[in-house]
Amino acid sequence: MSLLIKAAATTRQLIHKAPALQQQVRHLNLLEFQSKDLLQKYGVAIQQFKVLDNSSTDTQVVNSFDCPEYVVKAQILAGGRGKGIFDNGFKGGVHITSNKNDVLALSKKMIGNRLITKQTPKTGILVNKVMVARSVNITRETYVCILLDREHNGPVLIASPAGGMDIEAVAEETPEKLLTVPLDIDKPIPEDKLIQVAKFLEFKGDAIKRCADEIQKLYTLFKSVDAVQIEINPLAETDTGEVISVDAKLNFDDNAQFRQKEIFAMDVTEEESDPREVEASKYNLNYVAMDGNIGCLVNGAGLAMATMDIIKLNGGEPANFLDVGGGVNEQQVAKAFEILTSDPKVKGILVNVFGGIVNCATIANGIVAASKKLKLNVPLVVRLEGTNVNQAREILKNSGLPIQTASDLDDAAHKAVASL
Ligand code: ADP
Ligand code: MG
C-alpha cells in the first residue's frame, strides 16, 4: 500500500504540504494497461496498445501490430519506470524502438525480472507483463490529476505545464507551475474552467479545446468508476497537435467495490506490489515502507504521522509503519510484529498505541507473544495509553522481556532513538 499512499500523498502534499502518510486507506490499484482500457472506454485519447506476457502468442501479437515506432513499457504498480533499472542490470522500464524484432527482445529482458524505481521497494517489483504501444512524437508533457481531497470536501483538479517529471519536485521548486481547481461532484466541469486549465497547461490554438475535452472525459471517468485519484503524467501534446494520455494511474474507493465489480476483479496487487503490504493486507493491517531504521507499530493514520514527526524531531528515521487500526486482535498484533521485524533495516521497534476502541491489554499480549515467538533481538520501546492501560503495563512487566516502557510520545521517541 505504500505506493498508493505515496501516490495519494504526492498530490496531497501539493495541496497541504503535509507529510506522507496522510491517507492510510487501502485502495485498489491497476496496472497501466488496465487503466488505459478504462480510459479508452470513456473516450479518452490514448495510444493503441497490446500486452505481452512471455507466452507463445507474444510473437503473433507483435507481428500483427503494425506501428512506425513502438514504446515498450514494463507493467508494475509504481511510477518512475522510465528511469528505473532492472535487477539483471538492464536499464529503463520504458523503451522506444522502430524495429519490430526489438520489441520482443526488449520485453524478454523485462518480463521475469524485477524493476527498481524511486517508488518501488529497494528489491524492486517483478515484471509479469509488458505493454507495447504505438509511439507518438511528444512535443510537450503536462500533468493532470483529479483526486478526492478532504480539505475541499470533494474532488479537485491539479494541473501543471511541467509534466512528465517528478511532480513533487515541481511543487517544491516551482509551485507557481501548479494550479488547483476544486470541482463540483454533481456537475461536469464548466467549459470556461476547462479552457482556463488548458491555457494554464500552455496549450495553444485548437489544442486548447482538445485538452479541455480530454479533461472533461477524465472527470466523467473519475466519477463513473468511483475513483479516488486519476493521475495522468504525462498528458502529452504531439507533433500533430493531438492531446494524449501517455501514462495513467488510477486508484479506486474500496467502499465502491459492490458497484464496481468488474474493476475490482482486475486487482493485481498480489503480484505486482511490495510483498509485505500484501501480507499485511491479508490480516487487515496497513504497511508503509520508509527509509529509516525504526520499525513502528501504531494505530491510526494520525498517530502514525505524529509518531513519524516526533521520531524525526528526536533525530531518528522510521523504517516503516504498521497501522493496526481499531478492533485489532492478538493474532493481528503478532502478525504485525512479524512483518515489522522481517525488514533487516529495522534496528529498533517503537510501539505507539492509543487505546480507544483498541484494548491496550490485547496489544500487550500480542507484543509479548510475538517477542517470545520471534526471539526478538532488537530493542523494543512501548508506549501505551488509554483503555485497559494498567492491565497492559502489568502484562509487559510480568513478561520478563527487556521491554522499555515510555510515559508519553516524546519519551517514547527519545528512548527509541537512543536505543539504537
Ligand atoms: P513512468 O512515469 O513510470 O516513468 P511513463 O509512461 O510516464 O512511465 O513513461 C516515461 C516517459 O517515457 C514519458 O514521460 C515519455 O517521455 C516517454 N514515453 C512514454 N510513452 C511514450 C510514447 N508512447 N511515445 C513516446 N514517448 C513515450
Ligand atoms: Mg509517468
Side-chain angles (χ1 to χ4, degrees):
M1 186 195 53
S2 62
L3 304 176
L4 311 182
I5 288 182
K6 275 175 201 154
T10 303
T11 27
R12 264 144 220 284
Q13 272 176 329
L14 308 181
I15 308 174
H16 305 312
K17 298 200 166 53
L21 282 170
Q22 183 93 23
Q23 189 180 6
Q24 287 251 350
V25 189
R26 182 177 177 76
H27 291 306
L28 169 71
N29 229 346
L30 294 185
L31 290 169
E32 179 190 2
F33 78 88
Q34 299 172 311
S35 299
K36 293 261 178 89
D37 265 338
L38 280 176
L39 259 59
Q40 196 163 29
K41 258 195 194 164
Y42 284 80
V44 178
I46 59 161
Q47 303 138 271
Q48 261 184 302
F49 70 86
K50 304 278 177 202
V51 179
L52 305 180
D53 57 5
N54 243 5
S55 64
S56 53
T57 52
D58 280 5
T59 317
Q60 207 186 326
V61 171
V62 176
N63 279 338
S64 59
F65 187 39
D66 281 318
C67 305
E69 198 175 48
Y70 304 85
V71 52
V72 183
K73 300 167 102 173
Q75 300 293 290
I76 54 167
L77 290 179
R81 294 166 300 168
K83 291 189 178 132
I85 180 158
F86 287 86
D87 61 349
N88 61 355
F90 184 58
K91 279 203 185 101
V94 178
H95 284 261
I96 293 178
T97 175
S98 49
N99 186 339
K100 237 185 202 184
N101 296 325
D102 282 351
V103 171
L104 275 180
L106 285 165
S107 87
K108 286 212 170 81
K109 282 183 188 152
M110 296 180 181
I111 298 176
N113 296 301
R114 304 183 76 84
L115 178 56
I116 302 148
T117 80
K118 264 175 76 176
Q119 293 184 13
T120 67
K122 296 223 160 57
T123 50
I125 295 176
L126 181 67
V127 178
N128 290 316
K129 290 192 168 73
V130 157
M131 173 175 156
V132 186
R134 173 182 291 270
S135 177
V136 285
N137 283 326
I138 298 176
T139 47
R140 234 161 44 78
E141 304 195 358
T142 71
Y143 175 94
V144 168
C145 179
I146 301 169
L147 80 156
L148 271 190
D149 178 59
R150 187 165 285 170
E151 188 157 295
H152 291 88
N153 283 320
V156 295
L157 171 72
I158 297 172
S160 172
M165 43 178 172
D166 189 356
I167 199 68
E168 271 166 317
V170 176
E172 190 86 352
E173 289 151 29
T174 47
E176 72 280 3
K177 287 200 170 153
L178 275 176
L179 179 69
T180 304
V181 185
L183 304 175
D184 184 336
I185 191 103
D186 293 320
K187 297 194 186 107
I189 309 171
E191 196 62 25
D192 59 332
K193 242 183 214 178
L194 286 173
I195 300 292
Q196 182 206 341
V197 172
K199 285 183 175 164
F200 180 80
L201 291 174
E202 295 169 15
F203 284 101
K204 306 257 163 19
D206 293 346
I208 293 176
K209 177 80 174 78
R210 258 176 237 142
C211 168
D213 288 349
E214 290 307 307
I215 295 175
Q216 190 70 279
K217 284 184 246 173
L218 286 168
Y219 191 45
T220 306
L221 167 68
F222 178 87
K223 291 191 285 189
S224 309
V225 300
D226 290 305
V228 292
Q229 169 163 282
I230 292 185
E231 186 183 53
I232 307 296
N233 190 20
L235 176 70
E237 182 166 16
T238 70
D239 56 354
T240 50
E242 290 169 287
V243 180
I244 297 184
S245 292
V246 167
D247 188 11
K249 192 166 182 309
L250 271 62
N251 302 146
F252 302 86
D253 183 348
D254 273 359
N255 296 316
Q257 187 162 5
F258 72 99
R259 60 179 182 200
Q260 302 291 351
K261 292 205 172 74
E262 238 176 84
I263 292 171
F264 278 78
M266 297 196 281
D267 193 1
V268 291
T269 312
E270 288 274 327
E271 304 153 41
E272 275 92 0
S273 53
D274 189 333
R276 293 166 301 192
E277 289 169 24
V278 178
E279 187 64 15
S281 73
K282 282 186 197 156
Y283 291 81
N284 246 328
L285 304 163
N286 283 325
Y287 178 89
V288 185
M290 315 274 294
D291 294 328
N293 54 11
I294 301 178
C296 304
L297 187 145
V298 297
N299 66 324
L303 198 56
M305 284 171 71
T307 307
M308 175 160 77
D309 286 348
I310 207 131
I311 287 176
K312 288 192 171 179
L313 207 64
N314 278 277
E317 289 287 340
N320 51 36
F321 279 90
L322 235 155
D323 174 9
V324 298
V328 65
N329 63 35
E330 229 175 280
Q331 192 209 356
Q332 283 171 292
V333 175
K335 190 70 204 176
F337 245 69
E338 218 172 279
I339 297 169
L340 273 185
T341 52
S342 69
D343 184 345
K345 277 191 327 217
V346 170
K347 300 290 181 244
I349 295 179
L350 171 59
V351 174
N352 185 20
V353 168
F354 189 86
I357 298 168
V358 178
N359 182 342
C360 287
T362 306
I363 302 280
N365 279 325
I367 293 173
V368 171
S371 304
K372 287 184 174 160
K373 182 178 162 215
L374 300 169
K375 302 198 171 56
L376 195 68
N377 57 5
V378 293
L380 169 61
V381 178
V382 179
R383 180 256 177 172
L384 295 171
E385 204 51 75
T387 308
N388 255 342
V389 68
N390 292 332
Q391 195 191 338
R393 292 202 177 117
E394 282 300 302
I395 294 167
L396 294 180
K397 209 168 89 191
N398 298 336
S399 71
L401 293 165
I403 298 171
Q404 294 187 61
T405 53
S407 52
D408 58 37
L409 191 47
D410 195 37
D411 183 36
H414 179 75
K415 281 181 176 153
V417 174
S419 75
L420 298 177

